[in-house]
Amino acid sequence: MGAECSKQYLPLCGKPIIEHSLRRLYTHDKIAGVVVALAPEDDYGTKLLEKLAWRDKPLIQVNGGAERCHSVLNALRRLSEFAEPHDWVFVHDAVRPCLRHEDIDKLIHAVEHHSDGALLGLRVSDTVKRVAGSGEVLETLRRDELWRAQTPQLFQLEALTAAMSRTIEQKLHVTDEAAAMALNGAVPRMVEGHADNIKITHFADLVLAQFYMEQQETGA
């Protein structure tokens, strides 16, 4: 982003991005609480969490790690102190503030008879090429089999903790929890979400996120 602060703290519709993301989780009646992984030196984030007066569910802060997988594992281990092994856990990006309750409901429904878990995603609509480092096109991939993974991703606490632990211990490279679960033998289910559940990565995404939030509020 090139911003002066971490992107999750950039303002969106008058509030930090992370506050919107937390609100989408907190206000869903099936979610019992939230664990947030922050860098140990993130004093701003700590103060922000402390002053969120609207919360009426547990909000627990843990130290983040060097990479996403370490932060997720720290949060899971904290949860294991009071949650049951087969409780379901959502993992969500702090910079996806436009998550719909409808998509949370879809994930919950998807795992009712599928214990390997589920994740939100979008079908790939563009033609996708596999390209060599030198720029030559190697092959055209079948887009009907390709999806863009989103969050939240939903898995049972014990299973996800084991998968993330194994991934880190064996130094396996994964970019999301579904990949870690797959390496541990699980077959997660893909659930089609909404395109407005964007991950804010560039400044242009802030404008788009504001548009989506305004559209959601008006029911458009």
Side-chain angles (χ1 to χ4, degrees):
M1 289 287 272
E4 295 182 356
C5 65
S6 298
K7 59 186 177 180
Q8 65 264 30
Y9 302 132
L10 291 172
L12 173 63
C13 298
K15 296 181 176 64
I17 292 170
I18 191 173
E19 184 171 341
H20 292 288
S21 302
L22 287 170
R23 187 182 295 272
R24 296 298 175 107
L25 298 172
Y26 265 100
T27 54
H28 193 282
D29 60 3
K30 294 293 181 63
I31 294 179
V34 177
V35 177
V36 182
L38 296 178
E41 67 278 7
D42 188 353
D43 294 333
Y44 178 86
T46 298
K47 292 177 181 177
L48 176 64
L49 297 184
E50 289 174 350
K51 73 176 185 179
L52 291 179
W54 48 263
R55 68 179 187 262
D56 58 357
K57 299 177 182 179
L59 177 60
I60 300 167
Q61 180 181 333
V62 299
N63 287 336
E67 298 180 22
R68 175 195 177 99
C69 57
H70 301 98
S71 297
V72 171
L73 183 57
N74 288 349
L76 294 172
R77 286 174 171 166
R78 181 69 178 89
L79 275 174
S80 68
E81 296 176 13
F82 53 88
E84 297 297 326
H86 296 295
D87 282 346
W88 290 94
V89 178
F90 289 98
V91 181
H92 189 49
D93 296 324
V95 289
R96 288 189 187 270
C98 301
L99 173 65
R100 297 174 180 233
H101 281 190
E102 176 185 349
D103 286 344
I104 295 176
D105 291 335
K106 286 182 180 179
L107 283 173
I108 294 172
H109 178 72
V111 301
E112 288 178 353
H113 304 290
H114 191 76
S115 60
D116 280 0
L119 67 153
L120 287 179
L122 291 175
R123 298 177 187 273
V124 171
S125 57
D126 298 319
T127 297
V128 179
K129 307 288 186 179
R130 189 167 68 86
V131 181
S134 54
E136 286 83 5
V137 175
L138 300 178
E139 67 174 315
T140 301
L141 303 177
R142 291 185 55 182
R143 65 184 178 188
D144 59 318
E145 297 178 346
L146 299 175
W147 290 67
R148 293 164 47 204
Q150 298 180 325
T151 68
Q153 302 189 1
L154 179 61
F155 302 101
Q156 289 180 327
L157 174 59
E158 184 177 52
L160 183 56
T161 302
M164 299 305 293
S165 298
R166 176 175 178 267
T167 295
I168 292 171
E169 289 168 3
Q170 299 187 11
K171 298 182 179 179
L172 302 172
H173 177 69
V174 296
T175 55
D176 71 352
E177 294 68 46
M181 290 291 292
L183 288 172
N184 223 35
V187 184
R189 177 165 292 171
M190 183 66 79
V191 176
E192 188 163 11
H194 285 82
D196 55 10
N197 183 27
I198 63 170
K199 183 178 182 180
I200 296 178
T201 306
H202 306 286
F203 272 107
D205 298 329
L206 277 171
V207 178
L208 189 56
Q210 180 170 337
F211 169 77
Y212 283 146
M213 295 190 83
E214 290 172 350
Q215 292 294 299
Q216 290 175 356
E217 288 175 3
T218 60

